[in-house]
Amino acid sequence: MRSPLISAVLLLTLVAGAAAMDANRYSYLSFDQVTITLSGEQAKVVAEYRIDAGIRPLVAIFGRGDLQQKVRRILNYPDARVISLSLDRAELLVANASTDYGEGSFWFPAHEFGVTIPSLVVSSPQNTRTFNQTASFPRGMGYFGATPPSA
């Protein structure tokens, strides 16, 4: 039992070293696309990625705890609630992603990611912004959500 575990750790170390060569990679993950959908103060973040073929069985056997931690770290939303997590896609809910300025107006601030994202799409009820090969969502974005009912 000890020998396969040591082999797995060595394999992870080699993969992590090789992963540094690609800007969209972190450890055994290669990110393809991130979509952020804004609604009120919340943001739904969907990340599509690939896990290295040699690591997929290890993630399946030993659990997805490490995968979940890496996805949160790369997306830079450490407190996000994970809605779903698979070997090629993660869906997260960020509770306070935007600032509420009252009367249905919101501000989603600039955001940095841990890797270069090949395709980033940020959507609000009024607008969609698309970026290619970016490690950040620059400048932020204002939008309007549902106006709360008056008392």
Side-chain angles (χ1 to χ4, degrees):
M1 180 67 182
R2 195 169 173 177
S3 180
L5 185 59
I6 291 172
S7 297
V9 170
L10 289 174
L11 181 62
L12 283 172
T13 304
L14 291 173
V15 169
M21 292 188 256
D22 293 328
N24 70 325
R25 287 181 59 97
Y26 177 76
S27 185
Y28 54 80
L29 291 173
S30 296
F31 281 77
D32 296 321
Q33 180 175 3
V34 173
T35 303
I36 301 174
T37 306
L38 304 169
S39 176
E41 291 178 292
Q42 293 185 343
K44 181 179 176 183
V45 182
V46 177
E48 295 179 20
Y49 49 80
R50 288 170 279 123
I51 296 175
D52 291 345
I55 302 300
R56 285 178 74 91
L58 294 174
V59 173
I61 292 168
F62 294 115
R64 297 184 179 158
D66 184 59
L67 174 61
Q68 180 174 315
Q69 181 182 38
K70 282 179 174 34
V71 168
R72 282 181 170 160
R73 183 178 300 138
I74 293 308
L75 295 176
N76 196 17
Y77 287 116
D79 298 326
R81 183 169 61 93
V82 176
I83 297 170
S84 67
L85 182 75
S86 69
L87 296 179
D88 60 358
R89 185 174 192 269
E91 201 171 306
L92 290 81
L93 186 64
V94 183
N96 295 311
S98 299
T99 302
D100 184 349
Y101 282 112
E103 306 214 3
S105 63
F106 298 90
W107 177 256
F108 180 65
H111 187 77
E112 298 287 326
F113 299 97
V115 296
T116 298
I117 306 296
S119 175
L120 171 65
V121 178
V122 180
S123 297
S124 74
Q126 292 79 38
N127 193 13
T128 297
R129 292 171 59 186
T130 303
F131 300 87
N132 294 313
Q133 300 299 327
T134 186
S136 68
F137 176 71
R139 298 183 307 272
M141 180 167 83
Y143 61 98
F144 294 97
T147 305
S150 55

